């Protein structure tokens, strides 16, 4: 007897169909072919135990299971359910007709319970794109998969429920999810800017960065508030659109980072890896390819605290994703492209002891030590950071003042208004959502300044020895500053403010 059904394999942040073919004939042998890895080969034991728990056995004949396409390596335990269903149909425990227009995916425990899998959302999207009508998967993944419209999603907790469903003995309603709840909600931030005393200039720089999606680095002595302000950034970021939420959820689902109680990520991700992270963990890949931190931060923030403490190789791999907003990983067995459209936020001390340029404490580092410490960050990487802000520590009077600080909610309203202007401006541009994403041609088109502003910019280029990339980024930042004031054209003061945010350029910081 021959049975064919459909499952799926994760590839990148998408999914492709896998056709499970079961052929039962004379003889006594069990063969599983189609380039399965060890986890798939071990499924034989889990499937056999689960079937016995439900009162069934693997047919005592020659059983050959092929997983096509044969040149694609099958990884993970999500094929337990389709293998079980295929064997049940071949053993005439369930009707073959019930398998039509359905995709099966799920892991089985020995007592036939269905366990959660990774990548439920991309699998559901693939099922819909294939024109299938039903998706049968573990119950804990049903809410995530139900985000996809035009597909009947059935979440099952036990293999016996799948059997009853296929026999027509139990017809549960498909899992539904009301996306009307997606009303640009925002989770409560860890830190509110109302808790940050003083640092008005730094707050302004962060507001500009968030309004235009620009990268920013903060440099200052220990205790000046760099990390605190970075943790407050999620509270002023604009809300995600539904398309951004779907793409972000796909990445976290493939990486196994989704809470099974959550169906869709509605808040922008904030990733803060430790400085001991490896290059592979940062960009993704590995023997079983997984998204890295830069992809998990897609549509959100990647915060690198103590930037010079990261390995030089880890920092250098960020250069290409910062430009292309994606990362291509090519290995001998696979080539995968992950999205990496993140906003880089970094903080660092100015020297090993931390007190270089401190107004009240003496630095004990030599000039050579300061120079070496700062140059742990390469010039090309620093050039890709739009705003470079020096943070000055506060005195006792400022820290103890009872003055009211502006809340994150107020700042966020201005950021959202600026993003709305950018969305209207770029509505004819494909894949362009904020000023930081503009190409050189788009900078010429949308970031035009008055004549006096270009004179100021030329003088800054000559005196600070800025690169062509810095020139473009100054215009992008100035465009954002003008958007915050709802100004159509760039003014001289917009250019002047953007130039002051290049304070860490090699010729400007006084090293």
């Amino acid at each position: 007897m021959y049975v064919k059904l459909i499952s799926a394999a994760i590839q990148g942040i998408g999914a492709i169909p896998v056709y499970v073919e079961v052929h039962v004939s004379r003889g006594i042998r069990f063969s599983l072919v189609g380039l399965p890895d060890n986890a798939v080969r071990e499924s034989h034991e889990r499937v056999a135990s689960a079937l016995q728990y439900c009162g069934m056995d693997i047919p005592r004949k020659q059983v050959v299971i092929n997983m096509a396409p044969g040149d694609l390596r099958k990884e993970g335990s999500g094929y337990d359910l389709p293998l079980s269903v295929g064997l049940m149909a071949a053993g005439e425990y369930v009707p073959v007709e019930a398998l039509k227009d359905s995709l099966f995916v799920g892991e089985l425990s020995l007592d036939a319970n269905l366990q959660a899998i990774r990548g439920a959302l991309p699998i559901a999207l693939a099922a819909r794109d294939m024109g299938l009508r039903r998706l049968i998967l573990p119950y804990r993944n049903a809410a995530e998969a139900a985000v996809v419209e035009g597909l009947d999603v059935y979440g099952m907790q036990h293999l016996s429920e799948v059997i009853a469903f296929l026999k027509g003995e139990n017809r549960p309603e498909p899992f539904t999810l009301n996306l009307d709840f997606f009303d640009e909600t925002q989770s409560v931030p860890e830190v509110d800017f109302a808790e940050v005393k003083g640092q008005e200039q730094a707050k302004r720089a962060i507001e500009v960065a968030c309004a235009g999606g620009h990268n920013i680095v903060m440099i200052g002595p220990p205790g000046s508030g760099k990390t605190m302000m970075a943790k407050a950034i999620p509270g002023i970021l604009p809300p995600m659109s539904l398309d951004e939420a779907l793409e972000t959820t796909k990445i976290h689902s493939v990486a196994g980072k989704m809470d099974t109680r959550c169906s869709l990520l509605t808040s922008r991700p904030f990733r803060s890896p430790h400085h001991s992270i490896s290059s592979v963990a940062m960009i993704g890949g590995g023997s079983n390819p997984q998204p890295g931190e830069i992809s998990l931060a897609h549509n959100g923030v990647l915060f690198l605290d103590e930037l010079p403490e990261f390995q030089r190789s880890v920092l250098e791999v960020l250069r290409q994703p910062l430009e292309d907003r994606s990362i291509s990983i090519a290995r001998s067995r696979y080539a995968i492209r992950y999205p990496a459209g993140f906003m880089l936020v970094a903080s660092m001390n100015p020297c090993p002891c931390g007190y270089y340029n401190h107004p009240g404490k003496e630095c004990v580092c030599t000039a050579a030590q300061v120079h070496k410490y700062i140059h742990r960050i390469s010039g090309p990487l620093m050039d890709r950071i739009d705003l470079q802000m020096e943070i000055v520590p506060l005195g006792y009077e400022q820290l103890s003042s009872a003055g009211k600080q502006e809340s994150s909610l107020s700042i966020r309203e201005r950021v959202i208004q600026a993003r709305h202007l950018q969305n209207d401006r770029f509505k004819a541009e494909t894949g362009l959502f904020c000023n930081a994403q503009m190409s050189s041609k788009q900078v010429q088109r949308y970031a035009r300044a008055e004549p006096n502003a270009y004179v100021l910019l030329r003088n800054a280029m000559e005196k600070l020895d800025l690169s062509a990339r810095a020139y473009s980024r100054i215009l992008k930042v100035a465009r954002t500053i003008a958007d915050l004031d709802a100004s159509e054209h760039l003014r001289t003061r917009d250019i002047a403010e953007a130039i002051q945010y290049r304070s860490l350029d090699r010729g400007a910081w006084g090293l």
Side-chain angles (χ1 to χ4, degrees):
M1 186 174 183
Y2 174 81
V3 175
K4 184 177 181 179
L5 68 157
I6 305 174
S7 187
I10 298 297
Q11 192 169 59
I13 63 167
I16 59 175
V18 171
Y19 298 94
V20 178
E21 301 173 300
V22 181
H23 184 245
V24 178
S25 59
R26 283 187 172 185
I28 302 177
R29 191 180 64 170
F30 182 91
S31 299
L32 179 61
V33 298
L35 209 60
D37 71 349
N38 289 334
V40 179
R41 292 184 182 280
E42 291 172 354
S43 66
H44 175 269
E45 306 302 328
R46 293 191 296 271
V47 168
S49 176
L51 290 177
Q52 290 177 1
Y53 197 89
C54 294
M56 293 172 282
D57 290 310
I58 293 177
R60 292 190 175 93
K61 296 182 180 180
Q62 177 170 281
V63 179
V64 178
I65 301 178
N66 178 45
M67 305 175 74
D71 60 347
L72 174 69
R73 189 168 183 82
K74 318 303 183 303
E75 299 172 336
S77 54
Y79 300 103
D80 292 359
L81 180 59
L83 292 176
S84 299
V85 172
L87 288 169
M88 289 189 296
E92 300 182 350
Y93 292 109
V94 297
V96 177
E97 294 77 13
L99 311 185
K100 292 181 179 179
D101 296 327
S102 300
L103 189 147
F104 299 85
V105 63
E107 177 185 345
L108 285 170
S109 62
L110 296 182
D111 60 354
N113 281 307
L114 283 168
Q115 308 296 320
I117 58 163
R118 297 182 177 185
L121 179 56
I123 289 173
L125 290 168
R128 184 192 62 184
D129 295 341
M130 293 165 59
L132 300 179
R133 186 166 51 90
R134 301 185 306 192
L135 172 62
I136 293 92
L137 78 173
Y139 180 81
R140 286 194 288 170
N141 296 117
E144 180 185 331
V147 171
V148 180
E149 297 180 345
L151 183 70
D152 292 339
V153 175
Y154 295 93
M156 304 291 182
Q157 294 182 332
H158 197 271
L159 183 60
S160 59
E161 297 179 24
V162 180
I163 297 169
F165 176 77
L166 295 176
K167 286 183 176 181
E169 299 172 355
N170 180 24
R171 287 293 181 185
E173 291 295 321
F175 202 97
T176 58
L177 185 68
N178 183 12
L179 284 182
D180 291 341
F181 80 96
F182 190 80
D183 57 355
E184 299 185 345
T185 55
Q186 183 92 345
S187 62
V188 178
E190 183 179 349
V191 178
D192 193 291
F193 272 106
E195 304 170 23
V196 181
K197 297 285 188 178
Q199 301 293 6
E200 300 305 326
Q201 191 175 9
K203 291 178 184 179
R204 169 65 176 178
I206 291 173
E207 178 182 340
V208 171
C210 293
H214 303 287
N215 304 318
I216 181 172
V217 61
M218 296 175 284
I219 181 168
S224 57
K226 305 184 299 295
T227 302
M228 185 178 185
M229 287 188 286
K231 290 182 178 179
I233 286 177
I236 66 172
L237 289 173
M240 286 198 291
S241 66
L242 181 57
D243 290 340
E244 287 179 315
L246 285 170
E247 188 174 31
T248 305
T249 303
K250 283 170 61 177
I251 297 170
H252 285 250
S253 176
V254 168
K257 305 294 184 182
M258 283 292 293
D259 187 339
T260 55
R261 297 168 296 179
C262 176
S263 58
L264 193 67
L265 294 177
T266 57
S267 296
R268 295 186 182 274
F270 183 87
R271 305 293 299 182
S272 180
H274 190 261
H275 58 73
S276 61
I277 189 172
S278 66
S279 298
V280 173
M282 181 66 83
I283 66 171
S287 56
N288 295 325
Q290 293 287 324
E293 288 292 331
I294 63 173
S295 295
L296 293 171
H298 182 63
N299 291 324
V301 173
L302 177 68
F303 175 48
L304 303 184
D305 199 8
E306 303 298 341
L307 188 65
E309 302 302 326
F310 285 79
Q311 297 179 36
R312 182 69 174 256
S313 60
V314 173
L315 295 179
E316 292 307 299
V317 299
L318 295 176
R319 287 161 56 176
Q320 181 258 337
L322 284 172
E323 289 290 327
D324 299 342
R325 302 181 66 81
S326 64
I327 179 69
S328 298
I329 302 171
R331 300 292 184 266
S332 59
R333 285 176 39 220
Y334 61 83
I336 291 177
R337 189 179 186 88
Y338 289 123
F342 59 92
M343 173 183 163
L344 176 63
V345 177
S347 69
M348 58 185 290
N349 293 329
C351 65
C353 78
Y355 297 109
Y356 180 76
N357 275 355
H358 193 286
K361 294 186 179 181
E362 184 178 355
C363 174
V364 298
C365 304
T366 64
Q369 288 175 323
V370 175
H371 185 272
K372 181 179 179 181
Y373 188 81
I374 292 295
H375 279 75
R376 290 183 184 179
I377 316 301
S378 68
L381 177 60
M382 190 65 78
D383 215 27
R384 287 170 166 81
I385 300 178
D386 304 349
L387 292 91
Q388 306 162 359
M389 194 67 205
E390 186 174 5
I391 309 297
V392 179
L394 301 179
Y396 172 79
E397 291 76 11
Q398 292 172 298
L399 289 173
S400 60
S401 66
K404 186 177 181 181
Q405 306 294 315
E406 189 175 21
S407 68
S408 294
L409 184 60
S410 299
I411 301 174
R412 184 170 184 254
E413 290 176 357
R414 295 196 295 269
V415 169
I416 292 174
Q417 290 299 321
R419 284 293 182 101
H420 284 165
L421 290 176
Q422 294 166 48
N423 290 336
D424 292 339
R425 181 185 303 127
F426 303 138
K427 60 185 177 183
E429 306 281 354
T430 302
L432 186 60
F433 305 104
C434 60
N435 291 330
Q437 300 173 354
M438 288 192 293
S439 64
S440 298
K441 183 183 295 186
Q442 290 160 342
V443 168
Q444 295 176 4
R445 183 185 307 167
Y446 299 118
R448 295 179 179 176
E450 57 189 24
N452 290 339
Y454 283 114
V455 174
L456 176 63
L457 182 55
R458 182 186 62 189
N459 293 335
M461 291 286 295
E462 294 173 353
K463 291 183 178 180
L464 302 181
D465 194 24
L466 301 178
S467 67
R469 182 180 285 112
Y471 170 84
S472 176
R473 292 183 182 274
I474 287 173
L475 289 175
K476 291 179 183 180
V477 172
R479 176 68 271 172
T480 301
I481 295 170
D483 288 341
L484 286 168
D485 290 337
S487 174
E488 184 177 353
H489 299 288
L490 305 190
R491 301 153 298 183
T492 303
R493 66 181 185 184
D494 300 328
I495 295 292
E497 183 177 353
I499 291 172
Q500 77 169 3
Y501 294 138
R502 303 296 303 183
S503 61
L504 300 188
D505 281 311
R506 292 295 177 259
W509 204 56
L511 293 180

